[in-house]
Structure formats: C-alpha cells, structure tokens
Amino acid sequence: SEAEPLSLFPMIFSGVVLFPLLYFIYYIFISMGTSITFDREVQLSSLLFIITLAGIGAILFLFWWQWNIFEAGGWLSIASIPAFFFGYNVLKNRLVTRTSSKKSH
C-alpha cells in the first residue's frame, strides 16, 4: 500500500499561508497602535452581524476540515443573506451617527 506523506509539508504550507495575515494583524494593532472600541449602545443588528461573520468563519473552517466545496458553498449562500442585511443595517446606522454628529458641531 502507499505510504502516508509527511505531515511536515502541510504544516510548512499552512505557516507560509498564514504568515502574511499574522504580519498584517501585527502591523495594524501593534505598529500603528490601532484599538477597537465599541459604543455604549450596541444595537442588535451589530451583534447579529458579528454572529453571522463568526458563522461564515466556522463554515470556512468546516470546509477546510471536513466538508466538500458543495456543502460549504450551500451553507455560505444561506449565511450570506443575513450577513448582507445585518451589515447593511450596521453601515446605515454608522452613516446616520456620523452625519448627525457633523450637523451638531
């Protein structure tokens, strides 16, 4: 029977692929001093948007780990619909907040 390939090669590939993302995160948060702050009043659509983004991340993880492309594509198409509407509400509320604060100054 065939010998199993070394697990070293997938680990090296994963490290090479993840290095730019990790460097980008380091650059944004450490080098530039960026911080994440939340308003005191968090709206429901904002929380639901974060939950749908986490769900999309979970679907992508399951595609990498266990699913085939058709299962992942089906679930991503379902999860993208609420993510679109919740994201639209978040951006609309952000625009309303920005324009109302400019008018008051």
Side-chain angles (χ1 to χ4, degrees), residues 20-77:
L21 176 65
L22 295 175
Y23 180 74
F24 176 72
I25 291 172
Y26 169 80
Y27 178 75
I28 293 294
F29 289 105
I30 306 298
S31 296
M32 293 180 61
T34 305
S35 64
I36 298 175
T37 58
F38 296 101
D39 294 334
R40 292 181 185 198
E41 297 177 12
V42 177
Q43 296 183 350
L44 181 62
S45 62
S46 300
L47 293 174
L48 291 174
F49 180 63
I50 297 290
I51 290 169
T52 55
L53 287 181
I56 289 171
I59 291 168
L60 292 175
F61 173 77
L62 285 170
F63 167 66
W64 172 76
W65 182 50
Q66 190 173 8
W67 287 350
N68 62 29
I69 195 157
F70 300 108
E71 289 173 318
W75 284 106
L76 280 173
S77 64

Side-chain angles (χ1 to χ4, degrees), residues 79-101:
S80 65
I81 295 169
F84 173 79
F85 287 110
F86 293 140
Y88 173 76
N89 283 337
V90 169
L91 291 174
K92 183 179 72 172
N93 292 334
R94 176 72 179 143
L95 179 66
V96 168
T97 305
R98 281 184 59 204
T99 56
S100 66
S101 68

